[in-house]
Amino acid sequence: MSVSEIYQSMEYGPAPESDAEAQGWLEGHGRAFGLFIGGKMTAPGDTFETRNPAKGTVLASVTQATASDVDAAVAAARKAQPGWAKAGGAARARVLYALARLVQKQARMFAVLESLDTGKPIRESRDIDVPLVARHFYYHAGMAQLMESELPGREALGVCGQIVPWNFPLLMLAWKVAPALAMGNTVVLKPAEYTPLTALYFAELCAEAGVPAGVVNIVTGDGAVGERIVAQDGIDKIAFTGSTEVGRRIREVTAGTGKALTLELGGKSPYIVFDDADIDSAIEGLVDAIWFNGGQVCCAGSRLLVQENIAADFHARLKARMDRLRVGDPLDKCIDVGAVVDPVQLERISALVDGSGGEVHRAAVALPAGCFYPPTLITGLAPSDTLMQEEIFGPVLVSATFRTPAEAVQMANNTRYGLAATVWTENVNLALDIAPKLAAGVVWVNATNLFDAAAPFGGVRESGFGREGGREGLAAYTKATDGEKPLKPVEAVPAPKAAKVEGLDRTAKLYVGGKQARPDGGYSRAVWSPSGTLLGHVGLANRKDVRNAVEAAQAASGWSRSTGHLRAQILYYVAENLAARGAEFAARLRDMTGTGAKQAEAEVEASVDRLFHWAAWADKHDGAARGVPMRAVALAMPAPVGVIGQFAPDEAPLLGLVSVVAPAIAFGNRVVTVASQAFPLAATDFYQVLDTSDVPAGVVNILTGDAAELAPLLAGHMDVDAVWSFSSATGLSEVVAKASAANLKRTWLNHGLTRDWQGPGGVAEAFRTEATETKTIWIPYGEG
Amino acid sequence: MTTHALPQTALLPQLSLPRNPGMALDMDWVRAVQANTSAIERRAATLPGRRSVKKDHQAAWLLRAISCIDLTTLSGDDTPERVKRLCAKAANPVRRDLLDALGMGRITTGAVCVYHEMVETAVAALEGTGVPVAAVSTGFPAGLSPYRLRLAEIGESVAAGASEIDIVISRRHVLTGDWQALYDEMCAFRAACGDAHVKAILATGELGTLRNVARASLVCMMAGADFIKTSTGKETVNATLPVSLVMVRAIRAYEARTGFKVGYKPAGGISKAKDALVYLSLMKDELGDRWLQPDLFRFGASSLLGDIERQLEHQVTGRYSAGYRHGIG
C-alpha cells in the first residue's frame, strides 16, 4: 500500500517486534534444552516440542524430566539448602538484587521469548509481566535483607517444589522463586509444559547473578513431572498455581506427608458495575479484566454483574468497544489480544461458548488464521447457567444483572471460587461497604488486575489458600523455629473392673446453637477417672450432629461482622466466669486426668489468662496499608475465615480447648469444636460458662465423640471454611487433609507433633494468621 | 512541476457533515456524568504502549497529522509579515521533494489560527490555498472582558473573514456549577458566529477536575459547539491525554444521543511527532476513523510541524534530519 493510500485509509499497519535475538538464543542452544540441576544444564534427554501458538511453529525441543532427574534436582536442592540459609539475609539480598537487575537488563529478551512461547501480546509481556518480575525480585531482596530483624523466630522450610502455569510463566516463576530464596529455601521448579522457555533463560541468568549451585533447579516436562515433585519425599513444601482440579489432587496426595502446601487455583471473578460508576472507565476496565492475556488469567474479571437499570446501555457500549479490539500476531506492538496458548485450549473455549445459552456477541474483529478466538460477550445469563459458574479461561465474558447492592453481593458470592472481585462505583460508601462483603482474596475498587509484590495475592474457597506477596507471602516459605516432638496418643481411661458410682447421675450433652442437644444417634459413652470413678457420660456425635452444629455456626454470621471491641468484652466476660468457677474446673481436671491439685489449678489459671490474651488481641489484629508503586491504597485486611472446625488437643483438656476456641472467636470466626476424646468433660462444663457469658448462640458449638469418626465429616463438610486439628489421635491429620480436598478448605494440622500449650506455642502468631484470611483491597484514588 | 494541484485534503471524502444544532440543556444528563480520574489516567498511560505505527504507515499518519494542524501564532509581538510567513508555511508545510519521494500530492495544514487583529492579513495571505483562518476570540485567553464586547469581537472577526472562531468559556460558570449560565453563554457565542464554525475552548487546566471537564464538554455541545477544544495554550497545564480521553468520550456520548458529530481540538503542549501519532490513535480507537479528518480533528500547535518534518525526512532518507533543513513558518 502506498503512503497516499494509507493517508486515505488510516490503517495501523504492521508494527512487528523483532524476534531475532530470541531466535538467536534458541539457535545457540541448537533448539534443544536439558534440565537445570545443581547449577548446570544437563544434556537434552527425551524431549517434547514447545511451539509458538500464533504460528504453530516449533520453537525448541525440551527435556521430559525422568523420576531420577527430579530426584537429582531435589538432592541438589537439599545439599545446597543449609549453606544458602546460613549465608544470611544480607548475602541472599545481594543475589536477589542481582537477579532483579539482570531481569531488567535482559527485559526485551524475556518479553519476546515469553510472547513467542505463550502467544500473549508483546505489550503485555514487555509492559506488565517483565516489570512485575523485576519488582518481585527487588521487593524480596529487601525481605531477605530484613529477615533476621523482622521475622525473628522464623526459618526456612527447606526444599520447595514449585509448579507454575502457562499463562504467566516468568511472572509466576518470580512469585514462587523470589520469596522462597529470600527466606533461605532452595527450589525445584517446573514450568508448564507449553511454556518452558523463559524459565530456561532464567536458569542461565542464575549463574551470572551468583545464585549458588543447587539453590535453583528447573525441571521441565508434563504433568508426570509435577506428580513426581509432589510425591517426592525430600521436598518440604509444595507451591502450586494452576487449575482447581489439579490443586485438589495435590491436596489429596500430600495429605499426611507433613508437606507445607499453598495453592493458587482457578476463579470466576465477579466484575460489579453500579449505576453511578464512570461507565466508560468501567468498560475500559473490562478490557484489562477479561481480554488481558486473552482471558487466560486466574483472576480475570470473567463474570460481569451490571445494575439492571444501566445494563442495556452498558452492553451496547461494551460491544462497540469490543469491536475496536485488535486481535493478531502477539509480536505486533499494535495488538490487544494475542493467541490462545494451545489448540487444545481453543477447542475447549469454542465448545463451552457453542454450548451456552444467552445472547452471544463475538467481536466484529479481523481474526488471523491459527490459534485465535474473538473477544466474546454472552449476555442474558442467569447465575444458574453453566457459564456463570464454570471457568472458561479464554476471552469470553459472561454477564447477568442485579437490582440492589445486597443482590450484587449475593450474586457475586454465588460461586465455588473466591480469588478476586472488582467493584465500580463513584460512591465511596458503597465501595467500602461492598468490598469486605465479597468472598475474594483480592478486591479492586474502580480498577482491575492490579498486582504488586507488596500486596498479598491469593484466594479463598476453591481458589486455593496461602498468599503470595507482602509479609503474608513469607509465611508460606518459613516456619517457626521452636522444636516439636512426636505426640503420643492420649487414650481415654478404660472402664474399671469395679465401678465407683457417686452422687447423682450427670449427663453432658452436645452444645449446638447455644443450646444443649442430645446426640442424634442416641449413644453415649461413660467417662471414668483413673481411680475408677464414673465421672459422667458424654454424647457420641454423628454426622447429623455435625450438620446441625455447622448450620448453627453458619447462622451466627453476625459474629463475623461484630466489632473487635465487642468480641474482647465477651472474651473477658468468659474469663471472669471461668475464674469464678475455677475450683470446680480444677477438680474436674484432677478427676479426669489424675493430675495434681497444683497443676490442675495452674491449668485453670492459664486458661483464664489465655482468654485475656485473645481478648486483648481481639481489637488489635490490624490490617496494613501497603506501599504499592502507584497512587493507590492497597489495604491488607485480616478477615475472619468463617466457620472453623476444630479438634481440641488432649494434652491439656481445658487449656487446649480454650487455646483453640478463643483466638478463633476473637477474630470473628464461629467454631465447631470437637472436645478431647479422652477428657471431654472440661469442654462440656465449659459450655455452661459460655451460656452465662453473653456468647451469642452458634458462635461456639461443642461436640463430643470419636475424633476419627468426626474428622472426615467435619473436614468434608462443604460449608466449613477451615479445619484445625490438634488431636492426638493417630493419623487424624491425614484424614482431615484428604477430606478437606472436597472444597479445598484451609487446614491447620499438628501432623502428630506436640505443641507447647502452656508456653509460647499456645499463643503463637500462627493462631492469628490461621484465624484470618488476608483480603487485599486496592483503592486507587485521585481527583483532578 | 507545473500547476499547483489542489490541496489533497480537499480530495478526502469530505462529505460535509450537518452542523451540530445543539439541544436543550439536559441537567439530568450533565449531573449523571462521572469521570474517575485514576482509571482515566491508567488508560491514558497505556495508550502510547498499545498502538504503534511504523514506516510507510507512520509517514502517512504524520502527513495526516499535518493536515489537522491549526498552525498557530498568538503572541503580543505578532506582525503582518510574521503572520504572512506562517500562512506561507501553512499552505506548503512540507518540502516538495519529500512529498514527491513519498508519492504524495500537495497538502496543507488544517487552518491558521491568529488573534483578531491578524485575521485580515491571514485571509489575504491564504487566498486560493483552501486553508481557512481561525480567530481566537471572546477576550482570549481569560474571557473576562465585557460580555457585549466578547460577542462583538466574534462578529468583527467573522466580518474580517475568519471562518472558524475559537471562543473561551467563562471558567467561573463551571467552577460555580452554573451550567445554565455556561449554556446560555455558549448559545450566544454560537449565534454570533453565524456560518463560521465555533470551537469552544474549555481551558481544562483551570477547571479543577476531570468531572468538570466532562460536564463542561457536554454543556458546550448541547449549546451547539462545532468543536470542543482543551486549552488556550496559556494555562499552566494544556492538552493532556487524560483530559483528551474525557472530552472524546463526551463527544462519543453526545453523538450516541443526538446523532451529531462534534470535533475535537487538543491544544498546547503537543510538540512531538510521536505525541501526534498517539492522539491520532486515540481518536481512531475511541471515536473511529471519521474523526481523523480535519473537519472533526485539529491540533492546536506551533512547534509540532517542525518535528514532523524531520521525521518525514528520516523516513525518506533513513538519516536523522536537522531543523534548519526545513523552511520555517
Side-chain angles (χ1 to χ4, degrees):
Chain A
M1 211 186 298
S2 71
V3 170
S4 62
E5 281 165 342
I6 302 165
Y7 180 81
Q8 301 291 343
S9 72
M10 288 299 283
E11 285 171 10
Y12 278 114
E17 173 73 39
S18 165
D19 65 352
E21 296 286 327
Q23 298 289 0
W25 177 73
L26 293 170
E27 282 296 333
H29 286 268
R31 297 194 185 266
F33 291 87
L35 311 170
F36 186 63
I37 296 175
K40 291 190 191 75
M41 290 298 296
T42 66
D46 286 344
T47 59
F48 60 94
E49 289 171 341
T50 183
R51 286 167 183 274
N52 172 349
K55 312 247 185 237
T57 50
V58 175
L59 292 166
S61 299
V62 178
T63 296
Q64 168 75 17
T66 62
S68 61
D69 290 332
V70 172
D71 295 347
V74 173
R78 176 58 62 199
K79 191 171 157 218
Q81 199 271 326
W84 178 242
K86 221 183 211 167
R92 294 196 301 273
R94 287 168 183 233
V95 173
L96 287 162
Y97 172 73
L99 282 171
R101 295 290 293 140
L102 280 164
V103 167
Q104 287 183 318
K105 283 185 267 195
Q106 305 299 347
R108 195 53 60 91
M109 175 68 104
F110 272 120
V112 173
L113 262 185
E114 196 78 313
S115 283
L116 279 174
D117 212 9
T118 61
K120 70 169 65 192
I122 184 72
R123 179 191 77 85
E124 294 179 10
S125 48
R126 181 195 65 202
D127 294 352
I128 299 169
D129 293 35
V130 173
L132 281 172
V133 168
R135 162 80 180 139
H136 226 76
F137 280 107
Y138 273 114
Y139 182 84
H140 286 94
M143 283 301 192
Q145 184 76 28
L146 299 176
M147 182 180 179
E148 281 94 9
S149 62
E150 294 302 302
L151 289 107
R154 306 291 293 180
E155 65 183 6
L157 287 169
V159 176
C160 303
Q162 306 182 316
I163 302 170
V164 298
W166 46 258
N167 55 349
F168 295 91
L170 184 66
L171 183 56
M172 291 301 104
L173 175 150
W175 281 24
K176 299 277 184 282
V177 169
L181 262 51
M183 296 295 105
N185 302 276
T186 55
V187 305
V188 175
L189 178 127
K190 187 189 96 65
E193 187 185 355
Y194 292 149
T195 58
L197 294 180
T198 45
L200 292 168
Y201 186 65
F202 178 81
E204 285 194 1
L205 294 194
C206 283
E208 288 180 44
V211 178
V215 169
V216 172
N217 302 275
I218 291 173
V219 291
T220 50
D222 61 12
V225 180
E227 280 180 38
R228 181 70 196 176
I229 291 173
V230 169
Q232 231 282 352
D233 285 341
I235 283 178
D236 301 297
K237 188 238 160 75
I238 297 291
F240 173 76
T241 297
S243 73
T244 293
E245 190 189 340
V246 175
R248 201 188 308 281
R249 174 102 188 93
I250 292 175
R251 186 72 191 100
E252 286 165 359
V253 173
T254 55
T257 63
K259 279 188 184 115
L261 179 65
T262 45
L263 299 173
E264 203 268 90
L265 308 174
K268 190 77 184 177
S269 297
Y271 189 102
I272 307 168
V273 183
F274 287 98
D275 62 1
D276 66 343
D278 173 352
I279 301 298
D280 284 317
S281 289
I283 287 172
E284 204 54 51
L286 273 171
V287 173
D288 293 331
I290 185 66
W291 295 303
F292 174 51
N293 199 10
Q296 304 169 116
V297 181
C298 51
C299 53
S302 54
R303 201 158 46 99
L304 170 63
L305 300 172
V306 56
Q307 199 156 1
E308 190 174 333
N309 58 329
I310 58 163
D313 176 51
F314 190 91
H315 288 143
R317 286 153 83 168
L318 174 58
K319 287 174 190 172
R321 178 68 185 92
M322 288 167 67
D323 293 347
R324 290 197 201 284
L325 290 169
R326 291 170 54 79
V327 183
D329 181 1
L331 282 185
D332 191 312
K333 289 180 272 193
C334 204
I335 281 298
D336 297 307
V337 182
V340 174
V341 74
D342 190 86
V344 173
Q345 280 297 116
L346 183 67
E347 211 165 290
R348 195 177 155 272
I349 296 165
S350 306
L352 280 168
V353 173
D354 294 345
S356 173
E359 186 201 322
V360 178
H361 174 79
R362 291 183 183 82
V365 296
L367 216 56
C371 207
F372 292 90
Y373 198 84
T376 299
L377 167 70
I378 308 180
T379 50
L381 292 182
S384 55
D385 286 314
T386 310
L387 287 197
M388 287 293 283
Q389 306 276 346
E390 296 298 325
E391 189 175 29
I392 299 173
F393 224 65
V396 182
L397 178 67
V398 297
S399 178
T401 64
F402 66 87
R403 297 167 297 172
T404 62
E407 193 172 64
V409 171
Q410 190 188 20
M411 288 174 76
N413 291 346
N414 185 219
T415 171
R416 285 179 288 131
Y417 296 109
L419 191 48
T422 300
V423 182
W424 286 85
T425 170
E426 289 299 300
N427 179 346
V428 67
N429 302 299
L430 182 59
L432 296 182
D433 182 49
I434 297 285
K437 291 177 179 169
L438 295 172
V442 184
V443 178
W444 293 294
V445 175
N446 291 328
T448 203
N449 277 344
L450 303 177
F451 310 100
D452 183 60
F457 182 90
V460 298
R461 297 186 178 169
E462 292 188 28
S463 292
F465 43 77
R467 292 292 178 269
E468 299 187 287
R471 282 162 182 263
E472 290 77 3
L474 303 180
Y477 288 101
T478 55
K479 62 181 181 195
T481 44
D482 45 76
E484 296 156 326
K485 294 188 244 7
L487 175 62
K488 273 192 246 146
V490 180
E491 302 293 344
V493 178
K497 286 190 183 115
K500 279 188 273 180
V501 180
E502 297 163 352
L504 195 60
D505 177 71
R506 279 186 69 184
T507 308
K509 298 209 176 72
L510 311 178
Y511 186 64
V512 174
K515 291 198 181 74
Q516 301 183 29
R518 279 198 197 86
D520 171 82
Y523 290 101
S524 296
R525 176 175 82 75
V527 182
W528 303 94
S529 79
S531 61
T533 305
L534 179 66
L535 298 174
H537 288 82
V538 288
L540 293 176
N542 68 5
R543 62 185 302 123
K544 296 228 168 109
D545 296 311
V546 168
R547 177 197 66 188
N548 295 344
V550 172
E551 267 176 27
Q554 282 295 353
S557 59
W559 182 252
S560 294
R561 295 189 297 272
S562 64
T563 64
H565 174 61
L566 175 86
R567 296 194 297 265
Q569 282 179 294
I570 289 177
L571 280 165
Y572 283 126
Y573 196 23
V574 173
E576 181 186 326
N577 286 327
L578 177 62
R581 293 171 60 174
E584 182 195 325
F585 272 85
R588 179 66 101 184
L589 290 171
R590 278 201 317 271
D591 288 346
M592 275 198 303
T593 65
T595 187
K598 273 213 169 119
Q599 276 151 310
E601 279 163 28
E603 183 171 340
V604 174
E605 193 50 39
S607 301
V608 171
D609 192 51
R610 187 105 341 142
L611 286 160
F612 259 67
H613 180 89
W614 292 116
W617 263 110
D619 57 358
K620 293 173 191 69
H621 189 28
D622 303 322
R626 288 291 152 74
V628 290
M630 62 178 287
R631 199 179 58 210
V633 178
L635 297 172
M637 308 281 283
V641 171
V643 171
I644 302 177
Q646 303 182 317
F647 291 86
D650 298 302
E651 310 96 284
L654 179 65
L655 177 61
L657 176 87
V658 168
S659 295
V660 297
V661 170
I665 67 171
F667 299 125
N669 301 283
R670 296 90 75 195
V671 296
V672 175
T673 306
V674 178
S676 160
Q677 188 173 337
F679 308 122
L681 294 175
T684 52
D685 291 345
F686 189 67
Y687 67 61
Q688 295 175 359
V689 173
L690 297 175
D691 257 347
T692 54
S693 307
D694 297 342
V695 178
V699 171
V700 180
N701 304 276
I702 293 174
L703 302 178
T704 52
D706 185 274
E709 189 187 324
L710 295 173
L713 300 174
L714 206 45
H717 197 300
M718 296 288 195
D719 218 2
V720 171
D721 300 294
V723 173
W724 300 358
S725 175
F726 297 101
S727 164
S728 69
T730 310
L732 205 72
S733 291
E734 181 174 356
V735 172
V736 169
K738 269 218 169 88
S740 73
N743 71 341
L744 286 162
K745 59 174 65 70
R746 294 172 66 178
T747 58
W748 187 23
L749 308 170
N750 64 357
H751 296 293
L753 298 172
T754 56
R755 176 170 286 274
D756 170 21
W757 295 104
Q758 271 76 16
V763 289
E765 187 188 0
F767 283 95
R768 276 177 273 149
T769 50
E770 293 293 340
T772 51
E773 293 280 7
T774 300
K775 173 178 277 194
T776 305
I777 303 176
W778 287 78
I779 313 168
Y781 58 88
E783 186 73 62
Chain B
M1 299 306 295
T2 54
T3 55
H4 282 295
L6 272 178
Q8 193 152 354
T9 43
L11 301 177
L12 288 169
Q14 294 228 32
L15 305 170
S16 133
L17 294 169
R19 278 185 83 179
N20 168 31
M23 58 180 275
L25 179 63
D26 181 346
M27 280 309 301
D28 286 345
W29 186 9
V30 173
R31 287 202 187 92
V33 166
Q34 298 290 3
N36 186 285
T37 299
S38 90
I40 288 161
E41 285 176 351
R42 282 196 304 280
R43 161 74 172 148
T46 67
L47 267 169
R50 283 181 196 266
R51 292 292 178 258
S52 176
V53 277
K54 294 291 172 198
K55 302 198 162 123
D56 281 357
H57 283 81
Q58 188 179 90
W61 278 52
L62 291 174
L63 290 164
R64 179 60 74 86
I66 291 172
S67 77
C68 294
I69 291 176
D70 278 3
L71 199 61
T72 302
T73 184
L74 296 170
S75 297
D77 57 2
D78 284 342
T79 60
E81 289 306 313
R82 153 76 182 133
V83 168
K84 282 183 199 165
R85 287 201 298 269
L86 193 76
C87 291
K89 186 68 179 169
N92 289 292
V94 180
R95 259 168 41 202
R96 187 65 246 175
D97 62 306
L98 294 178
L99 289 176
D100 287 346
L102 294 167
M104 282 290 293
R106 189 180 148 236
I107 62 168
T108 68
T109 67
V112 163
C113 183
V114 293
Y115 271 116
H116 169 78
E117 281 299 316
M118 297 295 146
V119 169
E120 279 183 45
T121 307
V123 169
L126 289 167
E127 174 137 31
T129 65
V131 179
V133 173
V136 296
S137 192
T138 64
F140 182 97
L144 289 168
S145 52
Y147 181 62
R148 65 179 174 79
L149 296 183
R150 281 185 273 149
L151 280 177
E153 188 181 2
I154 293 174
E156 302 236 347
S157 292
V158 171
S163 51
E164 301 177 6
I165 303 294
D166 291 18
I167 62 99
V168 290
I169 65 163
S170 294
R171 280 72 114 181
R172 64 185 185 282
H173 293 332
V174 177
L175 295 170
T176 59
D178 194 347
W179 304 110
Q180 185 68 52
L182 179 66
Y183 178 84
D184 292 343
E185 175 185 84
M186 185 67 221
C187 286
F189 290 164
R190 159 76 197 258
C193 285
D195 287 338
H197 282 216
V198 59
K199 305 193 195 102
I201 302 175
L202 304 185
T204 54
E206 294 177 348
L207 298 186
T209 66
L210 291 179
R211 191 176 293 101
N212 275 347
V213 171
R215 290 176 178 175
S217 297
L218 268 190
V219 171
C220 287
M221 288 187 282
M222 289 172 181
D226 296 296
F227 259 75
I228 51 176
K229 173 177 169 183
T230 58
S231 321
T232 64
K234 312 286 185 192
E235 292 86 49
T236 47
V237 179
N238 295 293
T240 65
L241 283 175
V243 156
S244 298
L245 196 55
V246 169
M247 292 175 71
V248 300
R249 283 173 173 178
I251 290 170
R252 185 171 65 203
Y254 187 80
E255 192 209 9
R257 183 79 64 102
T258 67
F260 291 101
K261 292 181 168 63
V262 173
Y264 178 61
K265 178 176 172 184
I270 304 168
S271 57
K272 298 290 176 202
K274 191 169 191 322
D275 297 340
L277 295 175
V278 172
Y279 273 93
L280 285 172
S281 60
L282 169 73
M283 301 306 290
K284 182 176 171 77
D285 281 13
E286 293 285 336
L287 291 173
D289 287 354
R290 185 61 189 82
W291 267 268
L292 297 175
Q293 298 179 24
D295 62 339
L296 287 177
F297 182 59
R298 298 284 178 82
F299 290 105
S302 47
S303 59
L304 173 62
L305 178 56
D307 196 53
I308 293 179
E309 289 176 271
R310 287 193 294 276
Q311 294 306 318
L312 288 173
E313 185 168 23
H314 175 248
Q315 167 67 19
V316 169
T317 66
R319 289 182 292 276
Y320 289 108
S321 179
Y324 63 76
R325 298 173 57 81
H326 306 276
I328 57 173

